Each structure stands twice: as structure tokens, then as C-alpha cells.
Amino acid sequence: MKIPYYPGCTLKSAAKHFEKSAIESAKKIGVEFVELPRWNCCGVVASLADDDLMHHLAPIRNMVRVLEMNRDGLVEDEKRLLMLCSMCYNTLSRSNKRVSENSEDLDAINDFMYKEEIDYDGSVETVHFLEIIKEIGFDKVKKAVKKSLKNLKVAPYYGCMLLRPKEVGIDDPETPTIFENLISSLTAEPIKWNNSRRCCGSFLTVDNADVVIELGSDILEDAKNSGADIIITSCPLCAFNLDNRQKNIKEKYPDFKEIPVVYFTQLMALAFGLSEEVMGFDGNFIDPRKLLKSKKLIK
Amino acid sequence: MPKKLYLDKQSVDFYEKVKEISGETITLCDQCGTCSGGCPVIEQMDISPAQLMRMVMLGDKEVMDTKTMWLCATCNTCTVRCPRELDVSKVAEALRQIRLRQSIDQVKIDEIPKDILRELPQIAVVGAFRRLTS
Ligand code: SF4
Ligand code: SF4
């Protein structure tokens, strides 16, 4: 399956290792990401004010690129746009929903984009990679597993942007299962815990780091107390707040014990037996390799 | 007997403004407190999300001087739980917008130390500036 792919800024810079593990793992289950030519920043957060149409312009311009890819034969009749980053997914989905359901807004946006060769018609469907994995089937994921992760206890961390609000959520907002199913199909053990959907503090990490440190410490303690060896996430901002901020948590609470936080596709790459370079664990702040070595999952 | 509440014009105008920007009919809020109960940032807030709704409902402009609207991380926990299907995050956004549209920024990039700025991923910086600057 060849599918248009929107990377977003962070996966091309601070979180390159997340992207690499995703692209290579996807191939193992028959999915080829075709990067959107000339994609532009989605704006990270969804425009929430009713009277603010302008900030939907950037997200929607990316939809035009999907139509162009179909026109130019880069993909074949595939108007789904795939995202990895939860925040990009949320922002692009909310903008797409607003203009697709509101012809006045759509017309206004098209007027602004008068230099584009194609008008947007609302026909693109935004999807998260996890939804594509679910569609392909968890049994197919299981078949691609080369290395059993039997002794690995994994805490699925959804955060906010995959699940809320309901209109764009990829699973039930209160009792999601998609991550648990993925973890099981990778032959690891998903743990049950309370904080899998609790906010990490998001962008408050810029001007209110202490809020993020408090939330992060609660979330990480819960994961450890529930028996997790490692946490997975699909959002590079959650990853920063839960992984890199462990440094600040430790400064505030010296007894704090670290726990690795990895991107869900890094876990896929591990189970699929891909190379160390593809797994990219050297890019994580808390190095997961010590744990994985002790579990005899890497050399 | 039902009691009637009379608001002065200034209060009504303020309420209408927030309603217009947020698109939320805030008077539908029945003050059940579900939003406050699930809010991850409530400990740091000076008024709870439910109190924020109440103040807006009464057109009380003092809500503009509280910290809560700047601490709402738009996590949408309250949004999926509100029995009245209200979205507090949109109301908080409307209040932020009222301030930001006067070109009063909540964070200033030149006040963030360079080494901290360098540590932060793009997604954090862009997100914060979209929510907290004009
Ligand atoms: S959950 Fe909804 S109805 Fe209840 S107090 Fe909050 S905004 Fe009002
Ligand atoms: S959206 Fe804002 S007010 Fe609502 S629960 Fe999240 S942080 Fe609290």
C-alpha cells in the first residue's frame, strides 16, 4: 500500500529516529509512506476560535498536495493522508473536518489559495498510522515479528491528541485498546494503568515547565508502580515531556528512578528485528538499551 | 418560583463576545464540576474550569485576570466528559484571544533563555507561540 505521508516539523528534526523506525517498520507490514511534496507546518495546535479561519489555511494547503499527488501519479487513487505525530494528526484532522463540513469556510480558504492549481474539495481523509495498522490487521503485525518481546512489560501512553475530542479521536476516548492490541501483537505485555490518557502538559513545557514536571512525575510513577518496564507514545511532544523532562524531575525529586520512553514504532522495529540504526535508541534521552540488554532483547 | 438574574450591559457584552469567539453557549453549563474533576492542571489553577464557566456566564470580566485560561493545555478531557457537551478549552481560547488580540503576549521569545529554547522540540515552541502570543 502506497499512502501519502505528512511528517511534520519535529519528526524531521528533533525526532528523526522516530520517523526512521516508522518508515522501516511500515515496510515490514506492506505500507509504503510517500512523503508529501512541499508539505508545510500544520501549526501544531488546532485553531479553536470560531472566528479564526485563517489558521486553518496552513493545514488545508497540505490537503491540496494530496490531491496533486493523485493527479501526478505519485499515489494511485489514495486520498488518505497518513500522520505519525499525534499533534499533527489532531490539527490537520480538525481543520479538515471544519472545512469539509462547512462549504462557506471551504470557499473562503480556496479563495485565499487562489494560486494553487487545484481547489480543495474536502475529499481527503486524515488517518493516523495506528489506524492503518489496525486496518491491515494485528495478526499481520504478529506475523512480521522476528524477535519475541515476551518478558517486556509496556505501558501504552495515549496522551490527549489521539483520542480527543471525539470527532477526531481514533479510538474510544475513555477505554481505548489500539495500543494494547499493538503491544500484544508485538508479543510484549501491555500493562493496565491509570494514567494512559492523562495529559503530559503539552506546550506548557515552554512557559510552565513545573506543571509538566509535576504531571510527568505522576504519570511515570504510576507506570512504574503498575509494573511497566518501558512506556510507548505516538507524540513527539509527549515523548519530550515524559523522556527528556526526567532530568528535571530527578533534580526536583532526587529519589526518582528513570524509566525509558520510546516511540511506538521503535518498539515495532525492535520486534521486527530491524537494525540498531533503524531502532534509533541512541536518540532517546533515557537510553532504553540498558533495559533491553538486561532482557536479552538487544546485544 | 424561578429567580431572575439581571446583568448590566457591560457584562452582557462580555458574555456575548466570549460566546461569539468560542462558539459555545456557555449558559448551558449547569455547574456540575465534571470538568474541574478531571482537569490535569487544576492544582496550579487559581479558579477551576467550572468557576471559569460561571464567571463568563455572569459576564464577570475579572476572569481575565485569572491564571486558568493560560494554564488550560487544551487536553480536551473535560470536552469528552461534559454532560452538556460544552468545550471549556474553546472558552479558555476565547478569553486568551480577547487578551492576545490587544497585542498583549503571554510569553515573550526574547525572555526565554537561549539554552532552554535550544533544548525544546519545535512542536513545543510552535505550539506555545500559537496559543500564547498574538
Ligand atoms: S462539565 Fe460541563 S456542565 Fe459541568 S461544570 Fe463543566 S462545563 Fe459546566
Ligand atoms: S481542556 Fe483545559 S480545562 Fe479542560 S481538562 Fe484539559 S486543561 Fe483542564
Side-chain angles (χ1 to χ4, degrees), chain A residues 34-64:
Chain A
V34 191
E35 188 173 316
L36 230 58
R38 295 194 293 141
W39 58 267
N40 57 261
C41 174
C42 64
V44 176
V45 291
S47 166
L48 293 176
D50 251 27
D51 60 354
D52 172 26
L53 188 58
M54 192 50 121
H55 283 102
H56 293 288
L57 183 59
I60 297 305
R61 209 182 279 283
N62 292 301
M63 306 300 157
V64 175

PDB file of all heavy atoms in Angstrom, chain A residues 34-64:
ATOM      1  N   VAL A  34       4.626   7.681   1.246  1.00  0.00           N
ATOM      2  CA  VAL A  34       5.122   8.561   0.186  1.00  0.00           C
ATOM      3  C   VAL A  34       5.003   9.995   0.697  1.00  0.00           C
ATOM      4  O   VAL A  34       3.899  10.528   0.850  1.00  0.00           O
ATOM      5  CB  VAL A  34       4.321   8.393  -1.126  1.00  0.00           C
ATOM      6  CG1 VAL A  34       5.030   9.112  -2.269  1.00  0.00           C
ATOM      7  CG2 VAL A  34       4.119   6.918  -1.461  1.00  0.00           C
ATOM      8  N   GLU A  35       6.167  10.596   0.986  1.00  0.00           N
ATOM      9  CA  GLU A  35       6.142  11.919   1.626  1.00  0.00           C
ATOM     10  C   GLU A  35       5.517  12.968   0.718  1.00  0.00           C
ATOM     11  O   GLU A  35       5.804  13.046  -0.475  1.00  0.00           O
ATOM     12  CB  GLU A  35       7.569  12.323   2.012  1.00  0.00           C
ATOM     13  CG  GLU A  35       7.608  13.588   2.844  1.00  0.00           C
ATOM     14  CD  GLU A  35       9.001  13.895   3.370  1.00  0.00           C
ATOM     15  OE1 GLU A  35       9.679  12.964   3.843  1.00  0.00           O
ATOM     16  OE2 GLU A  35       9.408  15.063   3.278  1.00  0.00           O
ATOM     17  N   LEU A  36       4.674  13.783   1.312  1.00  0.00           N
ATOM     18  CA  LEU A  36       4.008  14.868   0.596  1.00  0.00           C
ATOM     19  C   LEU A  36       5.045  15.836   0.033  1.00  0.00           C
ATOM     20  O   LEU A  36       5.861  16.367   0.797  1.00  0.00           O
ATOM     21  CB  LEU A  36       3.165  15.631   1.620  1.00  0.00           C
ATOM     22  CG  LEU A  36       1.709  15.954   1.363  1.00  0.00           C
ATOM     23  CD1 LEU A  36       0.939  14.678   1.111  1.00  0.00           C
ATOM     24  CD2 LEU A  36       1.123  16.697   2.557  1.00  0.00           C
ATOM     25  N   PRO A  37       5.038  16.109  -1.264  1.00  0.00           N
ATOM     26  CA  PRO A  37       5.960  17.131  -1.766  1.00  0.00           C
ATOM     27  C   PRO A  37       5.532  18.500  -1.220  1.00  0.00           C
ATOM     28  O   PRO A  37       4.340  18.763  -1.102  1.00  0.00           O
ATOM     29  CB  PRO A  37       5.756  17.101  -3.288  1.00  0.00           C
ATOM     30  CG  PRO A  37       4.952  15.878  -3.571  1.00  0.00           C
ATOM     31  CD  PRO A  37       4.197  15.554  -2.330  1.00  0.00           C
ATOM     32  N   ARG A  38       6.488  19.315  -0.881  1.00  0.00           N
ATOM     33  CA  ARG A  38       6.231  20.695  -0.425  1.00  0.00           C
ATOM     34  C   ARG A  38       5.220  20.776   0.731  1.00  0.00           C
ATOM     35  O   ARG A  38       4.355  21.646   0.745  1.00  0.00           O
ATOM     36  CB  ARG A  38       5.735  21.564  -1.586  1.00  0.00           C
ATOM     37  CG  ARG A  38       6.761  21.767  -2.693  1.00  0.00           C
ATOM     38  CD  ARG A  38       6.332  22.891  -3.615  1.00  0.00           C
ATOM     39  NE  ARG A  38       5.137  22.573  -4.371  1.00  0.00           N
ATOM     40  CZ  ARG A  38       4.164  23.439  -4.638  1.00  0.00           C
ATOM     41  NH1 ARG A  38       4.234  24.674  -4.195  1.00  0.00           N
ATOM     42  NH2 ARG A  38       3.123  23.093  -5.349  1.00  0.00           N
ATOM     43  N   TRP A  39       5.300  19.862   1.669  1.00  0.00           N
ATOM     44  CA  TRP A  39       4.386  19.983   2.821  1.00  0.00           C
ATOM     45  C   TRP A  39       4.791  21.193   3.652  1.00  0.00           C
ATOM     46  O   TRP A  39       5.942  21.604   3.628  1.00  0.00           O
ATOM     47  CB  TRP A  39       4.371  18.702   3.662  1.00  0.00           C
ATOM     48  CG  TRP A  39       5.697  18.274   4.215  1.00  0.00           C
ATOM     49  CD1 TRP A  39       6.569  17.407   3.635  1.00  0.00           C
ATOM     50  CD2 TRP A  39       6.311  18.707   5.431  1.00  0.00           C
ATOM     51  NE1 TRP A  39       7.680  17.263   4.416  1.00  0.00           N
ATOM     52  CE2 TRP A  39       7.555  18.049   5.523  1.00  0.00           C
ATOM     53  CE3 TRP A  39       5.933  19.574   6.465  1.00  0.00           C
ATOM     54  CZ2 TRP A  39       8.427  18.229   6.614  1.00  0.00           C
ATOM     55  CZ3 TRP A  39       6.804  19.757   7.538  1.00  0.00           C
ATOM     56  CH2 TRP A  39       8.028  19.093   7.597  1.00  0.00           C
ATOM     57  N   ASN A  40       3.825  21.756   4.371  1.00  0.00           N
ATOM     58  CA  ASN A  40       4.159  22.879   5.247  1.00  0.00           C
ATOM     59  C   ASN A  40       3.651  22.620   6.657  1.00  0.00           C
ATOM     60  O   ASN A  40       2.790  21.761   6.876  1.00  0.00           O
ATOM     61  CB  ASN A  40       3.584  24.199   4.714  1.00  0.00           C
ATOM     62  CG  ASN A  40       2.090  24.154   4.532  1.00  0.00           C
ATOM     63  OD1 ASN A  40       1.601  23.957   3.412  1.00  0.00           O
ATOM     64  ND2 ASN A  40       1.337  24.295   5.603  1.00  0.00           N
ATOM     65  N   CYS A  41       4.190  23.372   7.618  1.00  0.00           N
ATOM     66  CA  CYS A  41       3.836  23.198   9.034  1.00  0.00           C
ATOM     67  C   CYS A  41       2.326  23.304   9.231  1.00  0.00           C
ATOM     68  O   CYS A  41       1.660  24.139   8.623  1.00  0.00           O
ATOM     69  CB  CYS A  41       4.544  24.271   9.871  1.00  0.00           C
ATOM     70  SG  CYS A  41       4.065  24.277  11.606  1.00  0.00           S
ATOM     71  N   CYS A  42       1.798  22.437  10.098  1.00  0.00           N
ATOM     72  CA  CYS A  42       0.343  22.431  10.331  1.00  0.00           C
ATOM     73  C   CYS A  42      -0.040  23.473  11.378  1.00  0.00           C
ATOM     74  O   CYS A  42      -1.220  23.772  11.556  1.00  0.00           O
ATOM     75  CB  CYS A  42      -0.105  21.048  10.792  1.00  0.00           C
ATOM     76  SG  CYS A  42       0.581  20.556  12.391  1.00  0.00           S
ATOM     77  N   GLY A  43       0.952  24.010  12.097  1.00  0.00           N
ATOM     78  CA  GLY A  43       0.655  24.977  13.160  1.00  0.00           C
ATOM     79  C   GLY A  43       0.646  24.351  14.546  1.00  0.00           C
ATOM     80  O   GLY A  43       0.408  25.033  15.531  1.00  0.00           O
ATOM     81  N   VAL A  44       0.847  23.045  14.606  1.00  0.00           N
ATOM     82  CA  VAL A  44       0.940  22.257  15.852  1.00  0.00           C
ATOM     83  C   VAL A  44      -0.378  22.125  16.608  1.00  0.00           C
ATOM     84  O   VAL A  44      -0.803  21.033  16.939  1.00  0.00           O
ATOM     85  CB  VAL A  44       2.037  22.775  16.818  1.00  0.00           C
ATOM     86  CG1 VAL A  44       2.036  21.993  18.116  1.00  0.00           C
ATOM     87  CG2 VAL A  44       3.407  22.658  16.165  1.00  0.00           C
ATOM     88  N   VAL A  45      -0.995  23.261  16.938  1.00  0.00           N
ATOM     89  CA  VAL A  45      -2.249  23.191  17.688  1.00  0.00           C
ATOM     90  C   VAL A  45      -3.414  23.648  16.809  1.00  0.00           C
ATOM     91  O   VAL A  45      -3.264  24.514  15.964  1.00  0.00           O
ATOM     92  CB  VAL A  45      -2.193  24.042  18.976  1.00  0.00           C
ATOM     93  CG1 VAL A  45      -1.231  23.426  19.977  1.00  0.00           C
ATOM     94  CG2 VAL A  45      -1.806  25.475  18.669  1.00  0.00           C
ATOM     95  N   ALA A  46      -4.574  23.049  17.049  1.00  0.00           N
ATOM     96  CA  ALA A  46      -5.743  23.375  16.240  1.00  0.00           C
ATOM     97  C   ALA A  46      -6.243  24.776  16.572  1.00  0.00           C
ATOM     98  O   ALA A  46      -6.204  25.204  17.725  1.00  0.00           O
ATOM     99  CB  ALA A  46      -6.847  22.360  16.506  1.00  0.00           C
ATOM    100  N   SER A  47      -6.700  25.464  15.563  1.00  0.00           N
ATOM    101  CA  SER A  47      -7.315  26.766  15.776  1.00  0.00           C
ATOM    102  C   SER A  47      -8.671  26.534  16.441  1.00  0.00           C
ATOM    103  O   SER A  47      -9.511  25.816  15.918  1.00  0.00           O
ATOM    104  CB  SER A  47      -7.479  27.455  14.425  1.00  0.00           C
ATOM    105  OG  SER A  47      -8.348  28.542  14.548  1.00  0.00           O
ATOM    106  N   LEU A  48      -8.893  27.139  17.604  1.00  0.00           N
ATOM    107  CA  LEU A  48     -10.113  26.833  18.371  1.00  0.00           C
ATOM    108  C   LEU A  48     -11.168  27.928  18.297  1.00  0.00           C
ATOM    109  O   LEU A  48     -12.324  27.697  18.627  1.00  0.00           O
ATOM    110  CB  LEU A  48      -9.764  26.616  19.846  1.00  0.00           C
ATOM    111  CG  LEU A  48      -8.929  25.378  20.180  1.00  0.00           C
ATOM    112  CD1 LEU A  48      -8.594  25.371  21.665  1.00  0.00           C
ATOM    113  CD2 LEU A  48      -9.664  24.116  19.808  1.00  0.00           C
ATOM    114  N   ALA A  49     -10.747  29.139  17.923  1.00  0.00           N
ATOM    115  CA  ALA A  49     -11.710  30.235  17.906  1.00  0.00           C
ATOM    116  C   ALA A  49     -12.585  30.111  16.653  1.00  0.00           C
ATOM    117  O   ALA A  49     -12.091  29.894  15.559  1.00  0.00           O
ATOM    118  CB  ALA A  49     -10.979  31.567  17.924  1.00  0.00           C
ATOM    119  N   ASP A  50     -13.902  30.252  16.870  1.00  0.00           N
ATOM    120  CA  ASP A  50     -14.845  30.108  15.765  1.00  0.00           C
ATOM    121  C   ASP A  50     -14.576  31.103  14.639  1.00  0.00           C
ATOM    122  O   ASP A  50     -14.769  30.804  13.470  1.00  0.00           O
ATOM    123  CB  ASP A  50     -16.280  30.331  16.286  1.00  0.00           C
ATOM    124  CG  ASP A  50     -17.038  29.023  16.300  1.00  0.00           C
ATOM    125  OD1 ASP A  50     -16.379  27.972  16.430  1.00  0.00           O
ATOM    126  OD2 ASP A  50     -18.287  29.061  16.170  1.00  0.00           O
ATOM    127  N   ASP A  51     -14.152  32.322  15.032  1.00  0.00           N
ATOM    128  CA  ASP A  51     -13.991  33.374  14.028  1.00  0.00           C
ATOM    129  C   ASP A  51     -12.577  33.384  13.430  1.00  0.00           C
ATOM    130  O   ASP A  51     -12.211  34.308  12.733  1.00  0.00           O
ATOM    131  CB  ASP A  51     -14.326  34.747  14.642  1.00  0.00           C
ATOM    132  CG  ASP A  51     -13.418  35.097  15.817  1.00  0.00           C
ATOM    133  OD1 ASP A  51     -12.607  34.232  16.222  1.00  0.00           O
ATOM    134  OD2 ASP A  51     -13.530  36.218  16.334  1.00  0.00           O
ATOM    135  N   ASP A  52     -11.788  32.375  13.743  1.00  0.00           N
ATOM    136  CA  ASP A  52     -10.413  32.338  13.241  1.00  0.00           C
ATOM    137  C   ASP A  52     -10.275  31.269  12.163  1.00  0.00           C
ATOM    138  O   ASP A  52      -9.929  30.124  12.439  1.00  0.00           O
ATOM    139  CB  ASP A  52      -9.457  32.059  14.414  1.00  0.00           C
ATOM    140  CG  ASP A  52      -8.028  31.809  13.946  1.00  0.00           C
ATOM    141  OD1 ASP A  52      -7.662  32.306  12.861  1.00  0.00           O
ATOM    142  OD2 ASP A  52      -7.280  31.117  14.664  1.00  0.00           O
ATOM    143  N   LEU A  53     -10.567  31.670  10.949  1.00  0.00           N
ATOM    144  CA  LEU A  53     -10.466  30.720   9.838  1.00  0.00           C
ATOM    145  C   LEU A  53      -9.037  30.675   9.312  1.00  0.00           C
ATOM    146  O   LEU A  53      -8.560  29.660   8.807  1.00  0.00           O
ATOM    147  CB  LEU A  53     -11.429  31.146   8.724  1.00  0.00           C
ATOM    148  CG  LEU A  53     -11.612  30.167   7.562  1.00  0.00           C
ATOM    149  CD1 LEU A  53     -12.112  28.820   8.036  1.00  0.00           C
ATOM    150  CD2 LEU A  53     -12.561  30.763   6.521  1.00  0.00           C
ATOM    151  N   MET A  54      -8.338  31.812   9.461  1.00  0.00           N
ATOM    152  CA  MET A  54      -7.015  31.969   8.866  1.00  0.00           C
ATOM    153  C   MET A  54      -6.041  30.851   9.234  1.00  0.00           C
ATOM    154  O   MET A  54      -5.281  30.380   8.399  1.00  0.00           O
ATOM    155  CB  MET A  54      -6.455  33.326   9.293  1.00  0.00           C
ATOM    156  CG  MET A  54      -5.236  33.758   8.530  1.00  0.00           C
ATOM    157  SD  MET A  54      -5.511  33.619   6.766  1.00  0.00           S
ATOM    158  CE  MET A  54      -5.251  35.283   6.258  1.00  0.00           C
ATOM    159  N   HIS A  55      -6.102  30.438  10.500  1.00  0.00           N
ATOM    160  CA  HIS A  55      -5.136  29.426  10.929  1.00  0.00           C
ATOM    161  C   HIS A  55      -5.459  28.025  10.404  1.00  0.00           C
ATOM    162  O   HIS A  55      -4.716  27.084  10.676  1.00  0.00           O
ATOM    163  CB  HIS A  55      -4.988  29.430  12.451  1.00  0.00           C
ATOM    164  CG  HIS A  55      -4.148  30.570  12.940  1.00  0.00           C
ATOM    165  ND1 HIS A  55      -4.685  31.702  13.496  1.00  0.00           N
ATOM    166  CD2 HIS A  55      -2.802  30.766  12.902  1.00  0.00           C
ATOM    167  CE1 HIS A  55      -3.713  32.549  13.792  1.00  0.00           C
ATOM    168  NE2 HIS A  55      -2.562  32.009  13.444  1.00  0.00           N
ATOM    169  N   HIS A  56      -6.553  27.890   9.682  1.00  0.00           N
ATOM    170  CA  HIS A  56      -6.832  26.591   9.044  1.00  0.00           C
ATOM    171  C   HIS A  56      -6.203  26.523   7.655  1.00  0.00           C
ATOM    172  O   HIS A  56      -6.175  25.465   7.032  1.00  0.00           O
ATOM    173  CB  HIS A  56      -8.342  26.347   8.942  1.00  0.00           C
ATOM    174  CG  HIS A  56      -8.990  26.181  10.284  1.00  0.00           C
ATOM    175  ND1 HIS A  56      -8.812  25.071  11.060  1.00  0.00           N
ATOM    176  CD2 HIS A  56      -9.799  27.005  10.996  1.00  0.00           C
ATOM    177  CE1 HIS A  56      -9.490  25.210  12.198  1.00  0.00           C
ATOM    178  NE2 HIS A  56     -10.082  26.378  12.179  1.00  0.00           N
ATOM    179  N   LEU A  57      -5.724  27.664   7.218  1.00  0.00           N
ATOM    180  CA  LEU A  57      -5.166  27.721   5.868  1.00  0.00           C
ATOM    181  C   LEU A  57      -3.951  26.798   5.714  1.00  0.00           C
ATOM    182  O   LEU A  57      -3.873  26.007   4.767  1.00  0.00           O
ATOM    183  CB  LEU A  57      -4.775  29.176   5.561  1.00  0.00           C
ATOM    184  CG  LEU A  57      -4.228  29.503   4.183  1.00  0.00           C
ATOM    185  CD1 LEU A  57      -5.221  29.138   3.095  1.00  0.00           C
ATOM    186  CD2 LEU A  57      -3.889  30.996   4.081  1.00  0.00           C
ATOM    187  N   ALA A  58      -3.015  26.878   6.642  1.00  0.00           N
ATOM    188  CA  ALA A  58      -1.799  26.063   6.537  1.00  0.00           C
ATOM    189  C   ALA A  58      -2.125  24.564   6.524  1.00  0.00           C
ATOM    190  O   ALA A  58      -1.646  23.833   5.649  1.00  0.00           O
ATOM    191  CB  ALA A  58      -0.827  26.418   7.661  1.00  0.00           C
ATOM    192  N   PRO A  59      -2.954  24.089   7.468  1.00  0.00           N
ATOM    193  CA  PRO A  59      -3.303  22.670   7.401  1.00  0.00           C
ATOM    194  C   PRO A  59      -3.941  22.273   6.064  1.00  0.00           C
ATOM    195  O   PRO A  59      -3.579  21.255   5.472  1.00  0.00           O
ATOM    196  CB  PRO A  59      -4.311  22.488   8.542  1.00  0.00           C
ATOM    197  CG  PRO A  59      -4.012  23.573   9.505  1.00  0.00           C
ATOM    198  CD  PRO A  59      -3.485  24.719   8.698  1.00  0.00           C
ATOM    199  N   ILE A  60      -4.858  23.106   5.578  1.00  0.00           N
ATOM    200  CA  ILE A  60      -5.609  22.714   4.382  1.00  0.00           C
ATOM    201  C   ILE A  60      -4.735  22.732   3.123  1.00  0.00           C
ATOM    202  O   ILE A  60      -4.946  21.959   2.189  1.00  0.00           O
ATOM    203  CB  ILE A  60      -6.870  23.615   4.219  1.00  0.00           C
ATOM    204  CG1 ILE A  60      -7.810  23.417   5.411  1.00  0.00           C
ATOM    205  CG2 ILE A  60      -7.603  23.309   2.916  1.00  0.00           C
ATOM    206  CD1 ILE A  60      -8.229  21.989   5.684  1.00  0.00           C
ATOM    207  N   ARG A  61      -3.718  23.595   3.116  1.00  0.00           N
ATOM    208  CA  ARG A  61      -2.839  23.601   1.942  1.00  0.00           C
ATOM    209  C   ARG A  61      -2.201  22.209   1.732  1.00  0.00           C
ATOM    210  O   ARG A  61      -1.960  21.785   0.609  1.00  0.00           O
ATOM    211  CB  ARG A  61      -1.744  24.667   2.101  1.00  0.00           C
ATOM    212  CG  ARG A  61      -1.268  25.208   0.770  1.00  0.00           C
ATOM    213  CD  ARG A  61      -0.155  26.210   0.964  1.00  0.00           C
ATOM    214  NE  ARG A  61      -0.584  27.548   1.329  1.00  0.00           N
ATOM    215  CZ  ARG A  61      -1.097  28.436   0.476  1.00  0.00           C
ATOM    216  NH1 ARG A  61      -1.263  28.123  -0.788  1.00  0.00           N
ATOM    217  NH2 ARG A  61      -1.447  29.627   0.882  1.00  0.00           N
ATOM    218  N   ASN A  62      -1.968  21.519   2.833  1.00  0.00           N
ATOM    219  CA  ASN A  62      -1.408  20.167   2.707  1.00  0.00           C
ATOM    220  C   ASN A  62      -2.381  19.190   2.026  1.00  0.00           C
ATOM    221  O   ASN A  62      -1.965  18.229   1.393  1.00  0.00           O
ATOM    222  CB  ASN A  62      -1.015  19.626   4.083  1.00  0.00           C
ATOM    223  CG  ASN A  62       0.159  20.387   4.678  1.00  0.00           C
ATOM    224  OD1 ASN A  62       1.238  20.428   4.089  1.00  0.00           O
ATOM    225  ND2 ASN A  62      -0.051  21.022   5.820  1.00  0.00           N
ATOM    226  N   MET A  63      -3.672  19.466   2.179  1.00  0.00           N
ATOM    227  CA  MET A  63      -4.679  18.604   1.538  1.00  0.00           C
ATOM    228  C   MET A  63      -4.601  18.750   0.008  1.00  0.00           C
ATOM    229  O   MET A  63      -4.812  17.790  -0.729  1.00  0.00           O
ATOM    230  CB  MET A  63      -6.099  18.961   2.005  1.00  0.00           C
ATOM    231  CG  MET A  63      -6.283  18.967   3.502  1.00  0.00           C
ATOM    232  SD  MET A  63      -5.939  17.374   4.257  1.00  0.00           S
ATOM    233  CE  MET A  63      -5.554  17.899   5.927  1.00  0.00           C
ATOM    234  N   VAL A  64      -4.300  19.979  -0.422  1.00  0.00           N
ATOM    235  CA  VAL A  64      -4.146  20.205  -1.866  1.00  0.00           C
ATOM    236  C   VAL A  64      -2.991  19.352  -2.394  1.00  0.00           C
ATOM    237  O   VAL A  64      -3.066  18.787  -3.488  1.00  0.00           O
ATOM    238  CB  VAL A  64      -3.900  21.707  -2.163  1.00  0.00           C
ATOM    239  CG1 VAL A  64      -3.623  21.947  -3.643  1.00  0.00           C
ATOM    240  CG2 VAL A  64      -5.078  22.536  -1.701  1.00  0.00           C
TER     241      VAL A  64
END
